[in-house]
Amino acid sequence: LLKAWSIAMIGLGLLFVAAAWPVLDWPARLFLDIAFWPIDGRPEGLNPEQRLLSVIGGGLTVGWGVLLVLLFDRAHRTGDDELSRLAVTGLLAWFIVDSLGSIVVGAWMNAIINTALVAGFVIPLALENRLNQGRRARRASHPLS
């Protein structure tokens, strides 16, 4: 689930990178329309500066998604909870900075979207951590361990 959510983040990043081409910028424009609630059909187009920032943000999101796929895959294969904790630390840093900045510029809806995105990582991680603790407890109490 964590890898799938990370791959979805890569796809989201690619949608923002696509805003470099006017014919493909509708997802970025829709996102801006939602982020600056209420939905009113604005912006009708993106200027070069908005396209650049969309591409940069999209590229960072793709890189972030790839890193998370690799971290979660390795953590799952090795049972290394520290890798998951490191990923959560990075996710929370993004969440706080991005959400606070969004609120400051009046895009409070983005903070709500961020909450759903971070929950898509943190909830499965918490569940996996609980399962791993149960497994470790069972192994430790097993007479042959």
Side-chain angles (χ1 to χ4, degrees):
L1 185 60
L2 291 166
K3 285 176 21 181
W5 198 246
S6 300
I7 291 167
M9 296 306 300
I10 294 168
L12 180 64
L14 291 173
L15 286 176
F16 285 104
V17 170
W21 296 275
V23 71
L24 300 174
D25 71 359
W26 67 267
R29 287 186 293 113
L30 176 61
F31 169 78
L32 289 171
D33 199 10
I34 292 169
F36 287 99
W37 196 266
I39 296 174
D40 57 7
R42 294 184 9 216
E44 293 177 14
L46 300 180
N47 64 39
E49 294 84 1
Q50 290 168 317
R51 289 183 194 289
L52 174 62
L53 290 176
S54 186
V55 169
I56 291 169
L60 289 169
T61 302
V62 168
W64 175 52
V66 168
L67 178 62
L68 290 173
V69 166
L70 297 172
L71 277 173
F72 292 138
D73 181 63
R74 175 96 179 214
H76 182 72
R77 284 186 294 110
T78 64
D80 188 346
D81 291 337
E82 180 66 17
L83 289 174
S84 294
R85 281 191 291 280
L86 292 171
V88 168
T89 301
L91 285 164
L92 292 176
W94 154 78
F95 174 74
I96 292 166
V97 172
D98 190 293
S99 296
L100 287 176
S102 295
I103 292 167
V104 167
V105 301
W108 56 270
M109 185 60 95
N110 188 52
I112 293 171
I113 294 167
N114 287 347
T115 302
L117 291 174
V118 80
F121 287 109
V122 173
I123 292 170
L125 279 167
L127 293 173
E128 183 175 344
N129 186 41
R130 184 165 289 214
L131 287 172
N132 287 342
Q133 286 176 349
R135 287 182 195 124
R136 283 192 290 274
R138 282 190 299 279
R139 279 192 299 244
S141 67
H142 193 274
L144 299 177
S145 54

